[in-house]
Amino acid sequence: MDKPFPPVSRELIAALKQSFPDQVPNISDDDRKVWVKVGQVSVVRFLEKQLEEQEDNILNPKVINDV
């Protein structure tokens, strides 16, 4: 069984979105720069999905500790 993904915070996602915004590349960007930006946004989206799954999981450690 795979290890669970470490907790992701909303603050982390907000900081990453500010640093790596999901926007159309500049026309002057070369291919390599475009692919780097695509990779950055892909990681942010992945972490957003992890956060969503953490918040949807009723067995979330935060929920267990609050009981």
Side-chain angles (χ1 to χ4, degrees), residues 7-24:
V8 178
S9 70
R10 289 187 174 277
E11 295 80 11
L12 174 63
I13 298 295
L16 290 172
K17 284 179 130 181
Q18 186 173 1
S19 296
F20 308 112
D22 189 352
Q23 62 188 23
V24 177

Side-chain angles (χ1 to χ4, degrees), residues 16-57:
L16 290 172
K17 284 179 130 181
Q18 186 173 1
S19 296
F20 308 112
D22 189 352
Q23 62 188 23
V24 177
N26 295 324
I27 193 81
S28 62
D29 290 346
D30 62 16
D31 289 352
R32 184 178 178 97
K33 191 168 186 178
V34 169
W35 285 112
V36 167
K37 288 180 180 181
V38 167
Q40 292 168 340
V41 171
S42 177
V43 170
V44 174
R45 288 179 182 172
F46 171 81
L47 292 174
E48 285 179 309
K49 183 69 175 162
Q50 293 302 312
L51 176 62
E52 182 181 311
E53 289 178 14
Q54 286 173 194
E55 290 177 341
D56 288 345
N57 185 355

Side-chain angles (χ1 to χ4, degrees), residues 1-5:
M1 186 171 166
D2 293 336
K3 287 184 176 182
F5 199 82

